[in-house]
Amino acid sequence: MTSNSPSSSTQVAGALFIFAAPSGAGKTSLVNALLDATTGIEVSVSHTTRTPRPGEQDGTNYHFTDMETFQNMAAAGAFLEHARVFDNYYGTARANIEQRLAVGVDVILEIDWQGARQVREQFPDTVGVFILPPSRTVLEERLRNRGQDSDATIARRMRDAVQEMSHYMEFEYLVINDDFEAALDELRRIVLAHRLRTPAQAARHAALLDSLLV
């Protein structure tokens, strides 16, 4: 067997994906559809200090956490990343992410560009996907159709969206959510293509490669 063949004991590790988008771009709906259509991938449930919206459940949408608990976790280094967004704090717990990746599960983080920078410092191979709306008009319509925010809040979200969208070049992939099914198909192709990269396939099929290269 040649010296550069993979060992059969190589551990299959999952991939870490970051999906970022301005509020109202349809990221959460796309992620939920991707999870339904793709096996072996999960979304990380973040911690947040904001109050639950109607229909949201603790542990499913977010881990809703009081400010003191959140700050204690941050001080203890429990978060892979955390940031302040719209007067509330959001954070990704490190332990569960590392455990799921170690057993070969792909994990999606729904975070902003600030969090993405923090994660990349610790996981340089993270795959970044930025989702954009087809226009600012459509983005505002989607925010208003939620029926959850005041005019002042929507105006602030629109201002912040411009700043958020200016960081799209920091991500490996860019998806425009104009047609939902087309955008979903593009996301599925991104995940599949990453799974077919040589290092991942070599780890996944180590035994086969060992037998072929004897």
Side-chain angles (χ1 to χ4, degrees), residues 20-98:
S23 180
K27 175 185 63 179
T28 299
S29 296
L30 283 169
V31 167
N32 289 339
L34 178 64
L35 295 177
D36 288 340
T38 312
T39 60
I41 192 166
E42 299 175 357
V43 64
S44 171
V45 179
S46 299
H47 288 69
T48 183
T49 60
R50 77 162 172 80
T51 57
R53 292 172 180 161
E56 290 184 331
Q57 296 183 346
D58 182 52
T60 300
N61 304 99
Y62 286 96
H63 297 293
F64 294 102
T65 309
D66 61 77
M67 183 65 73
E68 181 179 1
T69 300
F70 190 98
Q71 291 176 337
N72 289 338
M73 291 179 67
F79 291 126
L80 185 61
E81 60 80 30
H82 65 282
R84 180 177 177 177
V85 182
F86 299 127
D87 300 326
N88 292 294
Y89 288 87
Y90 296 80
T92 302
R94 175 191 302 273
N96 185 60
I97 298 297
E98 293 179 338

Side-chain angles (χ1 to χ4, degrees), residues 141-177:
E141 288 176 353
R142 290 174 180 173
L143 288 173
R144 293 191 179 281
N145 288 340
R146 289 177 175 178
Q148 297 174 340
D149 299 318
S150 66
D151 288 344
T153 298
I154 290 174
R156 185 178 67 171
R157 289 187 183 276
M158 289 297 297
R159 291 193 301 270
D160 290 343
V162 175
Q163 200 274 343
E164 177 81 18
M165 292 186 291
S166 70
H167 292 272
Y168 74 90
M169 282 296 294
E170 298 178 24
F171 294 75
E172 284 76 19
Y173 296 95
L174 183 64
V175 172
I176 311 301
N177 184 17

